Amino acid sequence: MKSKLIHESDGQRTYAVVMAAGDEAMSCLERFAREVGLSAASLTAIGAFRSAELAYFDWDTKSYISIPVDDQAEVASLIGDVAIGPDGKAAIHAHVVLGTRTGAAIAGHLKRAVVRPTLEVIVTESPAYLRKRHDATSGLALIDPES
């Protein structure tokens, strides 16, 4: 993974984060967020994965159902955010739409993915921080704009 600060103004920073074949996308994003001290940011990305694990949140069971993707797939869209989690550390929340070789789309919450050949991420940091709080109804840590 390589990164470059490409813009900075009035407390807002924008980075390009580029991953190479073999990089694990979520662990790279988490490491980057820690290294630059992100507390509120949005991210978008395109590229491709050798394999991935997506997930679907089942409201009835309040748990994630795994969606394995064991083939090369294009990252048609990856969007997400960074906020401070209940543990005080940067938390990445990302959703992705993957395109298969037939043109079919698979979408869900991004749990892990192995990059091949690249993942190009633009991270836009806000000058304010966001914090996640545990939501008793869903059982998830959700952004609380008031905290």
Side-chain angles (χ1 to χ4, degrees):
M1 171 187 71
K2 296 179 183 177
S3 65
K4 180 178 182 177
L5 177 64
I6 58 175
H7 178 77
E8 184 170 15
S9 176
D10 298 322
Q12 183 177 13
R13 297 182 293 180
T14 304
Y15 296 90
V17 178
V18 180
M19 296 176 212
D23 286 343
E24 198 290 305
M26 288 300 287
S27 62
C28 284
L29 288 171
E30 289 164 355
R31 186 172 77 238
F32 174 78
R34 283 192 314 269
E35 287 173 358
V36 301
L38 294 180
S39 60
S42 61
L43 53 97
T44 59
I46 57 172
F49 295 147
R50 176 179 74 205
S51 62
E53 179 186 359
L54 310 184
Y56 170 82
F57 184 72
D58 184 302
W59 182 257
D60 294 330
T61 65
K62 305 292 190 272
S63 63
Y64 284 97
I65 298 170
S66 179
I67 305 167
V69 180
D70 296 319
D71 198 7
Q72 183 76 19
E74 295 288 328
V75 177
S77 176
L78 187 155
I79 59 172
D81 60 46
V82 181
I84 301 300
D87 61 0
K89 298 178 184 175
I92 309 287
H93 183 196
H95 288 203
V96 64
V97 178
L98 301 179
T100 68
R101 68 179 67 241
T102 65
I106 303 169
H109 180 86
L110 182 60
K111 300 295 274 186
R112 64 158 196 82
V114 180
V115 173
R116 185 173 64 189
T118 189
L119 187 66
E120 301 162 343
V121 185
I122 301 299
V123 179
T124 304
E125 180 185 30
S126 171
Y129 73 90
L130 290 173
R131 186 167 300 276
K132 291 186 177 215
R133 299 281 185 223
H134 181 265
D135 174 65
T137 304
S138 67
L140 299 171
L142 305 176
I143 291 176
D144 180 0
E146 297 175 357
S147 66

